[in-house]
Structure formats: structure tokens, C-alpha cells
Amino acid sequence: TAMRREEVSRLDRADLQDGRARQALITGKGDKERLVFFDEPALAAIRAYLEARADQYAPLFLRHDLGRGKAPGPGGRRWRLSPKGVWDVVKRHAAAVGVRASTHDFRHAKASVMLNRGAKLSEVQDILGHASPETTKRIYAHYETRRLREAFDRYTLPPEARVDPSDVRG
């Protein structure tokens, strides 16, 4: 989804209609609203997680550790997974499979894959929720340079195909 860990921690199950909505309107960094999109494997995992939880608490993701306390609070809000909790889950699972990864690595990877597959920088900016195109361009400038080179090569005629302007008759 390319969501920030803070954004993930704020999700409520209603935002995704219990794993049936393919998109959600979230409030991101700087209190700016944006749409985030979910593919079918992510939605299937969310549905399975909610089914295994067997509760109706509002937060999409809950703490499941011993430190969460006994009382969930109204709507389960005291058991909401924090941004640090999201980070801990990613770090723990990455270590379990022998890789170094952070929540931001997933965000960066999503943007990189999209750019490598032909997404426009402005589309990636919107998906990431960057307020300024300069932020996106600074972080992913190397992709833009490669795409510019590809465009240059694609649309440049080889010398033998060029027409001498003096041979063209008006």
C-alpha cells in the first residue's frame, strides 16, 4: 500500500469494511487526506486476521502481547497497535526470515516497483502522499533519470535514418 506506519496504526476495520473495500480514505502526514489501495492478497489476509480475532473492536490492528492490559477500552482503542508496534512486527518478521527490513523499506519498495514498471512520478507522489513533487523527485530521481534516458534512446533516430534538411523540398 506504501502507507506510513502511523497511517497503518490508525486504520479502523470500518475503513476497509472488514477487508472487503479495495481502497480507503486515510488522513496522512500533515493531516492530508488521500486514498490508499489494497490488492486482493492483502484483503484476504485482513479478512483472515479479523476472522481469527473474533471480536468487533474498531481498530484494524490490535496488540496481541501481554503488555496490552486486560481492558480493551471503548471500542478496543486501548489495544490498538501503535506505530512502534507496527515497526516491531515488521522488524521481528524480517529477522525471522533473515533479512533487514523496516516499515519504510516496504514503502520505498512499492514506489520503486511502480516506477520500474512505468508509473509516472506524479502518480507515485500521490500514492505516497508526498505534499511536494520535489520530495518524490529527490528520493526517486535516479528512476526519473533512467526513464529520461530510455525516452531519449527510444525517440532518437539513428544517424542513417536522419534526413538531410537540404534534401527536403518545400
Side-chain angles (χ1 to χ4, degrees):
T1 64
M3 292 176 71
R4 296 174 179 95
R5 64 183 172 164
E6 174 75 31
E7 296 164 345
V8 171
S9 72
R10 284 192 211 162
L11 283 174
D12 284 335
R13 62 192 301 158
D15 295 331
L16 289 171
Q17 299 170 8
D18 288 336
R20 292 186 305 278
R22 297 184 61 221
Q23 63 191 42
L25 182 64
I26 65 162
T27 302
K29 192 174 180 181
D31 287 327
K32 292 189 169 51
E33 285 189 338
R34 80 171 196 280
L35 280 175
V36 292
F37 303 96
F38 297 83
D39 62 14
E40 189 48 45
L43 292 173
I46 289 167
R47 288 189 300 267
Y49 167 71
L50 291 174
E51 186 175 313
R53 257 182 36 191
D55 65 58
Q56 291 301 310
Y57 297 134
L60 181 59
F61 298 112
L62 297 177
R63 292 179 62 167
H64 295 281
D65 62 334
L66 297 175
R68 75 180 186 173
K70 293 183 181 182
R77 76 169 181 239
R78 283 193 208 119
W79 286 359
R80 180 182 295 278
L81 189 63
S82 70
K84 170 82 166 74
V86 174
W87 188 86
D88 288 342
V89 168
V90 169
K91 290 302 235 180
R92 187 172 52 251
H93 287 281
V97 296
V99 297
R100 293 182 58 156
S102 70
T103 53
H104 202 77
D105 290 330
F106 284 103
R107 187 170 155 78
H108 180 76
K110 181 66 172 180
S112 298
V113 167
M114 291 178 66
L115 287 165
N116 283 333
R117 296 191 70 192
K120 295 177 186 170
L121 203 58
S122 61
E123 293 168 330
V124 173
Q125 173 195 342
D126 289 343
I127 287 170
L128 293 176
H130 286 163
S132 165
E134 293 308 312
T135 303
T136 314
K137 195 165 192 167
R138 184 179 68 249
I139 296 169
Y140 299 102
H142 55 287
Y143 293 100
E144 185 70 6
T145 302
R146 194 193 77 213
R147 298 240 348 241
L148 289 171
R149 179 66 207 206
E150 289 171 358
F152 177 84
D153 292 343
R154 186 173 45 248
Y155 297 115
T156 299
L157 287 174
E160 62 275 6
R162 294 187 186 142
V163 176
D164 184 343
S166 64
D167 290 343
V168 177
R169 303 188 203 277

